[in-house]
Amino acid sequence: MFSPRTTKPTFKSYLPPVQTDGKTSIEPPIRKLEPTLLSGEIVVNEANFVKKCVSAEGSQEDLWGKLICTNFKVSFIPQDAPLKPKSQLSHLLLGEHDIPLTCLDQVVTVNDVKGKKKVLGSNQKLKFNPTELILYCKDLRVIRFCFSEAGPDSAKKVCLAIAHYSHPADIHLLFGFEYQGRRYHQAKEEGVSGSTQRGGLQTQRFDRPSDWDREIKRTGASEWRVCSINKKYKTSPSLPENIVVPVSMMDRELEDLAANFTDSRLPMWCWNHTNGSALVRMAVLNPLQQKKTEQKFFSAISKSHPQHTEILKVDLDKSLPNIQDIQSSFIKMKQICVLEPFEESEERWLSSIENSRWLEYVRAFLKYSAEVVYHLERKNVSVILQEEEDRDLNCVVSSLVQLMLDPHYRSLIGFQSLVQKEWVMAGHRFLDRCNHLKKNDKEESPLFLLFLDCVWQMMNQYPAAFEFTEAYLTVLSDSMWIPLFSTFLFNSPENRAQHLLEFAKSKAIPQGEDQAVFFPPVWEWAQQFSTKDQTLFNNPLYVGKGATRFQNGEVKTFTRSKKNYGSINQGAPSSVRNGVRGGEDTLSRRSSLMSELKPDLPTVKDESPSEHFFRDWFSRPADLQGLLIPQLLPSHLSLWKLYFLRWVPEACIAKGGPITAYHKLSLLMNEIEVLQNQLRQYNRTSMESASLSNQSGSLSERGRMYFRAISAEDPPVPPDFLTSSFPFSAVGNLCRRGSQGTPVSKFLNGAKTWLSTETLDDTV
Amino acid sequence: MPIRNKIGEMVENVRLLERSCGQRKPSVGTLYLSATHTIFVENNPETRKETWVPHSMVSGVERLPPSPTGSQLILRCKDFRVILVLIPQERDCVDIHASLARLSRPEKYSELYCLSFNPNVNKEQREESWAFVDLAADYRRMGVPNNLWVTTAANSEYRVCDTYPSELFVPKSATPAVIVGSSRFRSRGRFPVLSYFHQDTLAAVCRCSQPLSGFSGRCQEDEMMLQAVMKSNPGSDYIYVVDTRPKLNAMANRAAGKGYENEDHYTNIKLQFIGIENIHVMRSSQQKIVDVGEMRSPSMTDFLFGLENSGWLKHIKAILDAGVFIARAVADEGISVLVHCSDGWDRTAQACSVASLLLDPYYRTIRGLMVLIERDWVSFGHKFSHRYAHLDGDPKEVSPVLDQFLECAWQLSEQFPCAFEFNERFLIAVHSHIYSCQYGTFLGNCEKERRDLRLREHSHSVWPQLWKERSQFTNPLYQTDLSPSQGVLRPNTSPYCFKLWKGLYNHTEKSMPPRQSPADFLSTVREESKQLEEELTNQQERLTALTGKPITWEKVAVPRRRRRTDCQKHGGPDPPATTHGRLISGPDGQTDRKAPRKDPALTLPLRDTDDFSACSDLESGVADLSSRSSSGGDDNKEAELE
């Protein structure tokens, strides 16, 4: 019997701990531990005989191997090849034990003998020999390495190297610049043009006027035009080169007025409702010029509305949490979900969640967005979202509003286009908010994650409305920490253009080459995942209109249902403050329970017009291809477990969780696909049109579903590896202090159970 | 629906607001008070919507001080609905209040709805309805009696224990003297008996009440009884005794001459306390969570604090933990477990039935859950009429014990969305019938009482009715082919995994059209696949006509993997002769046989072809069809599939 366990002692005894350079003395039976390197990736430092802790307190499952720091990642190569079958998404560029340097949040070295601990930055000295290295990752993993058997010197060196290389002095030191340069030239040599770009290309990037034109046409915004006064970013450094403005405004006028806005960020059109209302975003104005400038824009925007209705300006800064609030809330969530020992968070789980205020913020953003939807949809007025810089909260709200109103954005390609339009091109400071260079912690804030959580909440409430899955959202959030794609690396379109220009020059990339070819966006998923693994992004339930889509074979066209809610009696004039209620909800904590319970008949509680609108909308069956409003009672919001708890072993449900329903649904969908294919086959034989056979062959081969109904490797029962953390693994990715044992083993040890603190009258 | 009950009172121009449904505008109509229901009929001639509230569902009637617009009456229901009625005349309101207060608190069983409810069936049908759930068949299904567990006549005519059923299974080595001796040493005479026998490991789940040990008492027969339980599990050298109470409570009971087993007196037992709180704690906790569900516009803080402070989810967790402990012991360690609390009819019933749910996939079917409730709750003397306030009585006896079991099932189904044949609607339907008293199933406090009331002659069983409606109770995600050895559910009981059961406690949702659940969509998908299937059959028929040869490939039945009943268990007990027979001989064998046809997903031809070995991918499947259609060789296919 060759179990991996038995080799361990031998492995240790071979090699005395004093040995610092183990490389030369490795005996033949021991596998040579070579890192998998990407092109341009180099090993900076490494240490042998390192133990990766798999569970909290030194267990037999811990892995021994080599710890490597490259210019891209921290890599660990275990001595014993893994025995378990593949149970998670395999990344094409990263191994199971790899962490990109950009993903590191904190590098902490510990000497447990001396009781010392130090958080390492760039170019720092370490006065003690580390016995442990703990890596806190931005994707919430906590990875711990032990150096008990490694040479103290090499341990120290590798720690310092990791700390140093995870604090790049300059954006060009992010590995993507090296990698994509080489990749481009390799592809050129091999005569492949930019590899597989399907998904990448279908996603509109909004870096060309034509993308905006198409969007104007798609939404029927005939009174709006693409304007290129920001060509070469000469008007505003943070706006895209092309912005959409009212047709009634001339370029000259816009140029004159631009300076009155923060950062010269003119009002920028986002989206049009079929009723003519537009969604516009802008920064704040210089107070001296405010009145005059506003008047000009408001009247132009009003002119672009078919009914020339009033417009509504809402101030997001006043009613929503700011970026620091969001960041500190997220830090608390991290604390509760992954950092605190399980037993401590267990007892007061719900109040801890409450205390972080994360769900409250998620709800506030959804609620705010729903209010904006009410004004666009029901009140038929154009809405201007205003925020100090128009680069943070506006991104969240404008994209949520569009997700609720426009089913196009609930498709995969549509969603990616939305992120391009409202985040990447609108100048969300990804570089600062992600803190890729670890220069300024104050600028760091997980706004994009907050947005993804809001999307997840909607997905959770309307599981058939989105083409993509929560696995997709999670993988997308993880991609923020892989510096190989251009999407999340820059602060603004200008910032991007400038860096990519320099990059192209330095790598001898010919002028005029498409950015997406030499520095691809994250939407080119084939770079990260196999075609099969990408099918995990497909929602099997998204078939409500799949039938039509299937027949057309084309990208679906956007048909908005023209629902009229005309039956609603116009009540008293809107009492809404600044258009949006809900501010008070974010601010008021605990209201009295009793006051809530007072019966309130017959005086029906005053209901705001928007509440009335929502209630009316909820009282009808939802049209998933139309307007979608999230339910906003606190009980409707849940914790996004796949994101927050995927690494937490205590939260993992073996062979359970939503993924098992996904599995079953995938099988059923796959069966339908098979049946449809067979039908087509029959039709074809009867029609004798053999020429089509290839086409349909490739179609069925692609298969939309990750799990197949009829396939040798996929049995009809959920495979054993399915856990609620799938496609991620709750094993070995979270090493926190003293979390030992499951609740049941606690029982078996007769350990603590709840003792009654209440009545002892137990003789009933 | 015609209002055929005798109308007692009637008030016109009443305004009704079903607040728990999120309804905002009161509807105007007439309020009727019949012998069994409060009925509200809307005036609106188009809808004429009727709202019926059985008096037995009313948990409280409250009259508010009159206002200029009229007098308000609040009806609180046991299914957590809250109905507000505005009556123009104060006098009418006082009358209605007085009548309802009386009608909703019947003092005698004869006043209950089920004894007047007559769903138009004859005597035979009524008798059949009572035979629908056959507990003897369930014991046979789990393999008893056998050479380890046998029936005992000790309790015939309820001589030894009047709250137990007359049919009981005990260890083979337990003599009548041991049984009687043990029963004298247990609260209410509830001696250790079999609840569930696990064929795979031969370990058993047994139940009883607390021993009357006090601080030093002991009883030889009781010690022998526990020894016999252990001996009925060959190969094991101890049993677990699970006291589901918090240890402090159990210790307090010793002062009253009761308590728990002294490990010094009983050889080979391991005592384990679980810490499920008593019925009083649960009652007040439920009230708190109902309040949380009723909050009108709570903030996130109100909601999360309310949920945590109610303690409700913690209690549900404790019950599930008890079940998990028992299931682990039985399935993983192969050790038998004896479960008790104080009297062995509340927490014990919870722990045992949750354990069965975890251990045996059968209890996760619609019929299985009926059997389980009938066995661990109805037959073993859970005091339904006291706990669910069927009759006016001691409010301290009321407690949501079975509610909690149903919620455990719901929480489990949230963790394992494909493991249960039934959906949330089924659990909620059972919940409301427990309170409604429309059927006789849950009436009374034990089998003897039911017999004395001759309920089988005067009322109907609820199960056939629910079975008839099973199409709306079915979970389309149900994964039928979980093999029994994998069939043990291993839930996660960390607090992360518990949530508010909105379907039960958050009634505001109910007013809205059903939200988008995967299950609802699946029904659509099912429909779609059914159509495709039909089209396929049509095409095949056309093909048959063209080739002139009958094509039968779609009928090729790949033998499904056999279900557990046929597997031979290792050594152990003699399999009872009937194991291979029909598991349940229900009265409606007819509907039973019809079931598969009603269920399109189960008849999908491709569903059964998991070992379609020739078609390991989609392509070859297609290729097969075309090649076969030209050659017409079905026989090859048959051979390939073997």
Side-chain angles (χ1 to χ4, degrees):
Chain A
M1 288 289 142
F2 295 98
S3 92
R5 306 265 176 277
T6 53
T7 61
K8 222 175 264 154
T10 352
F11 173 53
K12 275 196 221 174
S13 63
Y14 267 134
L15 307 150
V18 282
Q19 190 126 24
T20 48
D21 188 5
K23 230 179 181 177
T24 49
S25 63
I26 286 175
E27 299 282 320
I30 294 176
R31 205 159 61 91
K32 220 176 166 205
L33 306 179
E34 290 295 347
T36 318
L37 298 177
L38 299 179
S39 111
E41 186 177 1
I42 45 168
V43 174
V44 191
N45 212 304
E46 59 185 43
N48 274 301
F49 320 122
V50 174
K51 186 173 79 171
K52 180 181 171 178
C53 304
V54 168
S55 55
E57 258 129 77
S59 81
Q60 303 170 321
E61 286 157 50
D62 290 346
L63 297 167
W64 289 87
K66 181 149 99 176
L67 179 65
I68 295 169
C69 172
T70 76
N71 53 345
F72 167 49
K73 65 183 181 236
V74 175
S75 190
F76 176 78
I77 304 148
Q79 181 63 48
D80 304 312
L83 289 176
K84 55 176 179 136
K86 188 204 132 186
S87 63
Q88 47 180 305
L89 205 56
S90 55
H91 200 279
L92 297 177
L93 305 175
L94 290 162
E96 191 191 338
H97 303 285
D98 291 352
I99 309 154
L101 293 166
T102 349
C103 186
L104 294 178
D105 195 14
Q106 273 194 341
V107 179
V108 178
T109 46
V110 179
N111 184 311
D112 51 10
V113 185
K114 294 182 182 161
K116 285 186 173 166
K117 187 172 169 182
K118 182 169 185 182
V119 182
L120 285 181
S122 172
N123 264 328
Q124 274 184 322
K125 289 210 174 75
L126 189 55
K127 286 183 188 144
F128 57 86
N129 287 325
T131 56
E132 260 182 37
L133 170 69
I134 306 172
L135 300 176
Y136 294 92
C137 303
K138 295 201 178 176
D139 60 8
L140 306 191
R141 281 183 289 174
V142 179
I143 311 281
R144 202 170 66 167
F145 297 103
C146 285
F147 300 116
S148 54
E149 310 296 317
D153 211 39
S154 68
K156 196 176 195 173
K157 275 183 184 155
V158 81
C159 291
L160 290 171
I162 290 169
H164 182 72
Y165 278 84
S166 59
H167 289 78
D170 183 273
I171 185 171
H172 287 273
L173 293 173
L174 291 176
F175 181 64
F177 288 90
E178 184 63 34
Y179 173 69
Q180 295 297 1
R182 291 191 184 235
R183 199 182 136 271
Y184 172 80
H185 287 293
Q186 274 165 7
K188 272 275 136 67
E189 276 166 35
E190 290 158 21
V192 192
S193 62
S195 72
T196 45
Q197 293 189 354
R198 273 234 194 98
L201 281 187
Q202 275 177 23
T203 300
Q204 284 173 280
R205 280 181 281 136
F206 292 97
D207 54 355
R208 293 166 299 189
S210 59
D211 284 344
W212 291 102
D213 268 327
R214 227 189 305 165
E215 192 70 353
I216 287 175
K217 268 200 202 100
R218 194 181 66 81
T219 58
S222 52
E223 295 299 306
W224 295 83
R225 68 179 180 96
V226 183
C227 143
S228 33
I229 59 163
N230 200 31
K231 198 86 200 152
K232 303 261 181 257
Y233 308 99
K234 60 180 192 282
T235 304
S236 164
S238 67
L239 281 179
E241 282 193 280
N242 306 289
I243 57 169
V244 176
V245 296
V247 285
S248 58
M249 292 189 91
M250 296 299 109
D251 282 5
R252 249 324 267 288
E253 190 183 2
L254 291 165
E255 275 164 7
D256 290 346
L257 295 171
N260 301 337
F261 291 88
T262 302
D263 209 19
S264 298
R265 284 183 72 100
L266 292 162
M268 180 170 81
W269 174 90
C270 304
W271 183 81
N272 240 64
H273 194 286
T274 38
N275 67 19
S277 327
L279 180 68
V280 178
R281 53 191 285 179
M282 69 180 202
V284 295
L285 284 148
N286 174 349
L288 295 174
Q289 311 294 333
Q290 186 179 351
K291 230 178 176 167
K292 207 180 74 195
T293 315
E294 268 189 355
Q295 209 167 28
K296 282 188 179 153
F297 274 100
F298 289 7
S299 79
I301 293 170
S302 174
K303 263 187 225 160
S304 287
H305 193 290
Q307 277 92 53
H308 302 288
T309 52
E310 291 268 298
I311 54 165
L312 174 76
K313 187 187 79 173
V314 292
D315 186 345
L316 275 66
D317 289 319
K318 287 201 182 119
S319 14
L320 287 168
N322 63 32
I323 63 163
Q324 283 87 19
D325 295 338
I326 294 165
Q327 170 71 358
S328 63
S329 163
F330 181 67
I331 288 173
K332 280 187 194 147
M333 282 297 279
K334 260 203 281 202
Q335 193 69 29
I336 306 157
C337 294
V338 297
L339 298 181
E340 264 173 22
F342 168 68
E343 277 110 25
E344 280 170 34
S345 53
E346 182 184 30
E347 291 285 320
R348 303 197 59 78
W349 170 242
L350 292 168
S351 48
S352 309
I353 291 289
E354 191 283 328
N355 184 258
S356 80
R357 309 188 74 170
W358 180 261
L359 282 178
E360 187 182 321
Y361 292 164
V362 166
R363 182 179 179 221
F365 275 92
L366 283 169
K367 193 167 180 177
Y368 199 95
S369 305
E371 296 278 354
V372 173
V373 165
Y374 158 73
H375 286 278
L376 289 164
E377 167 88 19
R378 175 75 189 89
K379 301 283 279 183
N380 198 1
V381 296
S382 294
V383 178
I384 300 177
L385 308 176
Q386 188 180 43
E387 187 202 354
E388 173 79 39
E389 281 202 302
D390 179 32
R391 295 169 76 177
D392 289 308
L393 308 183
N394 271 0
C395 300
V396 183
V397 173
S398 74
S399 33
L400 284 177
V401 168
Q402 293 173 63
L403 265 180
M404 291 177 195
L405 282 162
D406 190 340
H408 168 67
Y409 296 124
R410 294 175 223 141
S411 70
L412 182 73
I413 295 299
F415 181 75
Q416 298 185 159
S417 304
L418 182 68
V419 174
Q420 276 297 127
K421 183 166 66 126
E422 300 302 330
W423 293 81
V424 179
M425 280 302 146
H428 178 66
R429 306 170 188 273
F430 276 110
L431 183 67
D432 293 346
R433 298 290 172 256
C434 295
N435 205 8
H436 284 317
L437 305 181
K438 300 188 176 59
K439 286 223 169 87
N440 189 353
D441 290 348
K442 282 197 187 110
E443 292 288 319
E444 188 169 343
S445 184
L447 263 121
F448 190 65
L449 179 74
L450 182 88
F451 164 65
L452 294 183
D453 198 333
C454 292
V455 178
W456 180 84
Q457 302 288 346
M458 289 185 64
M459 194 183 255
N460 192 36
Q461 292 183 18
Y462 302 98
F466 293 83
E467 189 180 17
F468 43 90
T469 57
E470 63 169 330
Y472 167 81
L473 293 180
T474 315
V475 162
L476 180 58
S477 78
D478 288 344
S479 301
M480 281 199 278
W481 316 118
I482 304 174
L484 304 181
F485 314 104
S486 59
T487 311
F488 303 121
L489 286 190
F490 305 105
N491 272 339
S492 68
E494 191 227 8
N495 184 247
R496 154 198 312 274
Q498 182 204 327
H499 284 300
L500 289 185
L501 194 70
E502 281 171 37
F503 166 68
K505 264 187 207 155
S506 70
K507 300 289 172 191
I509 292 164
Q511 258 195 326
E513 181 69 280
D514 188 353
Q515 280 181 13
V517 171
F518 65 78
F519 211 127
V522 71
W523 317 126
E524 219 176 272
W525 291 107
Q527 292 221 9
Q528 295 192 60
F529 302 104
S530 69
T531 317
K532 159 92 176 169
D533 280 354
Q534 283 179 56
T535 54
L536 270 176
F537 300 168
N538 294 337
N539 175 6
L541 286 173
Y542 190 67
V543 287
K545 65 144 194 241
T548 47
R549 197 189 52 144
F550 206 68
Q551 279 158 16
N552 299 339
E554 293 285 319
V555 179
K556 47 263 156 191
T557 44
F558 169 41
T559 48
R560 214 179 288 122
S561 67
K562 292 209 172 157
K563 253 195 204 153
N564 233 324
Y565 298 108
S567 63
I568 297 172
N569 302 321
Q570 282 285 16
S574 146
S575 63
V576 288
R577 205 180 351 98
N578 212 1
V580 176
R581 282 169 55 95
E584 71 273 14
D585 192 78
T586 12
L587 300 173
S588 78
R589 312 269 284 176
R590 319 211 58 173
S591 63
S592 154
L593 235 168
M594 283 327 290
S595 66
E596 297 285 353
L597 290 172
K598 286 255 169 67
D600 51 8
L601 185 115
T603 47
V604 173
K605 205 160 108 189
D606 283 331
E607 191 178 42
S608 77
S610 63
E611 280 170 349
H612 188 130
F613 167 72
F614 296 146
R615 193 166 51 74
D616 188 66
W617 187 85
F618 287 130
S619 69
R620 298 148 203 251
D623 170 16
L624 296 180
Q625 289 307 309
L627 172 65
L628 218 54
I629 298 173
Q631 305 231 38
L632 291 166
L633 281 179
S635 57
H636 290 119
L637 301 182
S638 347
L639 179 73
W640 183 12
K641 286 193 189 164
L642 188 65
Y643 179 81
F644 286 104
L645 298 173
R646 61 188 151 149
W647 315 120
V648 183
E650 294 86 355
C652 183
I653 307 166
K655 294 189 212 172
I659 190 70
T660 52
Y662 178 83
H663 173 264
K664 173 86 183 183
L665 288 165
S666 301
L667 297 190
L668 287 168
M669 274 317 299
N670 186 235
E671 265 177 35
I672 290 174
E673 279 176 13
V674 171
L675 284 169
Q676 280 171 334
N677 275 335
Q678 291 183 352
L679 265 182
R680 227 168 289 126
Q681 195 75 28
Y682 274 114
N683 286 331
R684 199 175 312 126
T685 31
S686 52
M687 289 185 307
E688 290 302 331
S689 53
S691 61
L692 282 167
S693 68
N694 283 339
Q695 226 181 337
S696 115
S698 63
L699 195 81
S700 59
E701 209 166 13
R702 276 210 304 277
R704 283 181 62 237
M705 292 303 120
Y706 185 80
F707 299 105
R708 308 276 173 87
I710 303 158
S711 136
E713 70 257 40
D714 292 325
V717 291
D720 282 351
F721 61 71
L722 274 195
T723 70
S724 56
S725 293
F726 185 85
F728 309 96
S729 167
V731 179
N733 288 312
L734 187 62
C735 269
R736 51 184 174 187
R737 292 176 285 133
S739 55
Q740 265 285 288
T742 58
V744 174
S745 69
K746 267 191 275 172
F747 276 132
L748 293 171
N749 300 336
K752 99 178 158 184
T753 55
W754 279 304
L755 284 181
S756 172
T757 49
E758 295 175 75
T759 168
L760 294 179
D761 172 21
D762 205 59
T763 48
V764 178
Chain B
M1 204 184 330
I3 302 165
R4 52 184 143 69
N5 306 52
K6 197 185 82 200
I7 306 287
E9 282 174 69
M10 179 183 110
V11 187
E12 285 178 327
N13 280 324
V14 167
R15 292 205 276 162
L16 172 130
L17 186 76
E18 203 166 333
R19 195 182 62 188
S20 46
C21 285
Q23 191 190 341
R24 295 284 184 147
K25 265 191 212 147
S27 47
V28 182
T30 308
L31 189 75
Y32 300 89
L33 224 55
S34 83
T36 55
H37 289 82
T38 305
I39 305 149
F40 177 82
V41 184
E42 217 179 292
N43 282 351
N44 186 338
E46 277 173 37
T47 47
R48 296 282 297 173
K49 197 184 142 206
E50 293 175 8
T51 308
W52 290 57
V53 183
H55 297 323
S56 45
M57 284 308 270
V58 177
S59 59
V61 201
E62 196 183 328
R63 192 165 57 87
L64 298 188
S67 72
T69 39
S71 302
Q72 284 181 52
L73 206 61
I74 302 174
L75 264 73
R76 293 187 181 276
C77 300
K78 293 171 181 171
D79 61 357
F80 315 119
R81 282 191 299 169
V82 179
I83 291 169
L84 299 174
V85 186
L86 182 72
I87 297 166
Q89 297 297 319
E90 195 195 345
R91 193 172 33 87
D92 288 336
C93 187
V94 173
D95 286 353
I96 296 274
H97 177 255
S99 306
L100 260 179
R102 169 70 189 86
L103 287 166
S104 65
R105 279 202 207 88
E107 279 154 9
K108 298 189 297 265
Y109 283 118
S110 58
E111 293 173 44
L112 288 174
Y113 181 29
C114 61
L115 296 174
S116 61
F117 176 66
N118 186 2
N120 253 342
V121 292
N122 60 32
K123 187 163 167 273
E124 284 74 37
Q125 285 168 313
R126 192 185 62 227
E127 278 162 11
E128 273 177 24
S129 89
W130 284 107
F132 182 80
V133 168
D134 180 354
L135 288 185
D138 187 50
Y139 284 113
R140 284 198 297 277
R141 190 193 62 86
M142 60 173 101
V144 290
N146 53 36
N147 60 351
L148 302 170
W149 294 90
V150 295
T151 46
T152 173
N155 203 36
S156 61
E157 290 306 309
Y158 312 101
R159 278 184 310 225
V160 178
C161 172
D162 60 356
T163 56
Y164 263 176
S166 55
E167 287 281 311
L168 287 166
F169 289 87
V170 290
K172 194 173 186 186
S173 58
T175 61
V178 166
I179 293 172
V180 173
S182 168
S183 86
R184 290 204 182 116
F185 190 63
R186 295 272 166 185
S187 274
R188 320 255 174 189
R190 294 170 68 94
F191 56 97
V193 293
L194 181 77
S195 164
Y196 177 72
F197 178 71
H198 193 60
Q199 289 182 76
D200 290 350
T201 60
L202 308 182
V205 180
C206 304
R207 56 185 291 172
C208 60
S209 59
Q210 64 186 341
L212 304 175
S213 51
F215 290 101
S216 57
R218 60 189 292 184
C219 164
Q220 202 190 2
E221 288 91 346
D222 194 59
E223 287 158 27
M224 287 165 72
M225 187 71 186
L226 266 63
Q227 197 67 21
V229 168
M230 190 194 82
K231 272 193 254 159
S232 274
N233 181 7
S236 75
D237 42 19
Y238 63 95
I239 62 169
Y240 283 112
V241 174
V242 168
D243 189 328
T244 55
R245 299 168 293 185
K247 192 167 182 181
L248 273 178
N249 301 22
M251 284 163 72
N253 265 291
R254 284 165 70 173
K258 300 168 187 175
Y260 52 93
E261 289 79 358
N262 184 334
E263 282 176 281
D264 297 338
H265 298 162
Y266 294 83
T267 41
N268 309 322
I269 67 163
K270 290 192 181 178
L271 193 60
Q272 176 68 51
F273 293 96
I274 301 277
I276 304 175
E277 299 287 355
N278 66 31
I279 59 169
H280 313 296
V281 175
M282 299 305 192
R283 185 193 319 118
S284 78
S285 173
Q286 192 189 40
Q287 188 51 52
K288 287 179 197 155
I289 203 171
V290 168
D291 292 346
V292 169
E294 277 185 12
M295 283 192 277
R296 291 300 294 277
S297 42
S299 69
M300 211 71 213
T301 307
D302 294 335
F303 176 72
L304 290 172
F305 270 135
L307 199 55
E308 181 162 286
N309 292 341
S310 76
W312 182 254
L313 295 180
K314 193 176 86 174
H315 299 315
I316 298 293
K317 171 183 155 59
I319 295 162
L320 207 50
D321 275 334
V324 167
F325 179 88
I326 299 165
R328 284 252 181 135
V330 168
D332 297 353
E333 297 181 67
I335 300 296
S336 293
V337 184
L338 176 65
V339 188
H340 71 71
C341 45
S342 296
D343 289 323
W345 50 42
D346 292 318
R347 286 168 275 200
T348 300
Q350 289 174 331
C352 289
S353 51
V354 169
S356 284
L357 211 51
L358 297 174
L359 283 166
D360 193 334
Y362 174 67
Y363 298 118
R364 290 171 229 146
T365 64
I366 292 178
R367 213 181 238 276
L369 191 77
M370 296 175 177
V371 170
L372 183 59
I373 292 174
E374 190 74 38
R375 186 191 74 209
D376 273 343
W377 297 82
V378 179
S379 87
F380 276 113
H382 175 64
K383 304 202 292 174
F384 279 92
S385 281
H386 285 164
R387 294 291 176 262
Y388 312 112
H390 293 162
L391 297 180
D392 192 25
D394 183 0
K396 277 189 163 169
E397 283 282 320
V398 180
S399 190
V401 186
L402 189 49
D403 297 34
Q404 290 182 313
F405 165 68
L406 294 174
E407 178 157 344
C408 284
W410 179 81
Q411 299 278 2
L412 286 170
S413 73
E414 286 291 294
Q415 288 195 33
F416 302 97
C418 303
F420 291 82
E421 189 192 20
F422 48 82
N423 58 21
E424 173 186 72
R425 280 192 279 271
F426 182 60
L427 296 171
I428 291 174
V430 172
H431 180 266
S432 70
H433 278 299
I434 286 162
Y435 289 93
S436 76
C437 297
Q438 189 176 354
Y439 294 89
T441 309
F442 303 121
L443 224 59
N445 292 314
C446 61
E447 198 177 281
K448 179 169 182 288
E449 197 176 351
R450 274 176 216 109
R451 192 197 59 174
D452 294 345
L453 286 167
R454 304 210 325 233
L455 279 177
R456 295 195 171 208
E457 290 159 50
H458 298 115
S459 71
H460 302 262
S461 164
V462 70
W463 303 126
Q465 185 54 38
L466 291 174
W467 181 251
K468 247 183 247 160
E469 299 163 23
R470 69 186 172 285
S471 63
Q472 53 161 317
F473 296 140
T474 306
N475 168 18
L477 290 172
Y478 179 50
Q479 187 74 262
T480 33
D481 29 18
L482 272 174
S483 65
S485 55
Q486 290 181 307
V488 178
L489 281 191
R490 292 164 204 285
N492 185 323
T493 62
S494 68
Y496 304 128
C497 299
F498 291 86
K499 44 189 169 183
L500 174 73
W501 188 3
K502 282 190 287 195
L504 193 61
Y505 295 111
N506 227 5
H507 272 262
T508 13
E509 312 246 307
K510 282 194 176 162
S511 61
M512 296 161 187
R515 288 289 105 186
Q516 322 295 326
S517 80
D520 293 334
F521 275 92
L522 200 54
S523 304
T524 322
V525 173
R526 251 194 202 185
E527 195 53 40
E528 196 177 334
S529 62
K530 195 176 146 196
Q531 283 168 11
L532 284 167
E533 223 179 287
E534 281 165 9
E535 213 177 320
L536 192 64
T537 317
N538 288 341
Q539 296 287 2
Q540 284 157 6
E541 279 163 11
R542 276 175 66 192
L543 215 59
T544 314
L546 287 172
T547 57
K549 285 186 187 176
I551 292 190
T552 55
W553 68 271
E554 88 282 6
K555 301 262 164 64
V556 170
V558 178
R560 270 169 178 268
R561 294 189 188 99
R562 302 309 290 258
R563 300 273 301 170
R564 69 176 308 175
T565 35
D566 298 47
C567 317
Q568 202 45 257
K569 302 300 163 209
H570 46 85
D574 303 330
T578 47
T579 311
H580 294 267
R582 246 170 73 77
L583 300 186
I584 302 277
S585 45
D588 64 337
Q590 234 177 350
T591 38
D592 205 10
R593 256 175 276 126
K594 253 186 259 161
R597 246 178 294 148
K598 280 185 175 172
D599 232 342
L602 299 177
T603 55
L604 259 183
L606 289 159
R607 175 70 272 163
D608 286 350
T609 52
D610 44 83
D611 358 353
F612 222 62
S613 50
C615 306
S616 59
D617 62 35
L618 312 183
E619 283 322 283
S620 56
V622 175
D624 272 353
L625 294 180
S626 45
S627 68
R628 224 169 319 115
S629 61
S630 54
S631 68
D634 320 313
D635 302 347
N636 292 349
K637 192 65 194 172
E638 287 271 23
E640 277 168 27
L641 287 167
E642 290 311 309

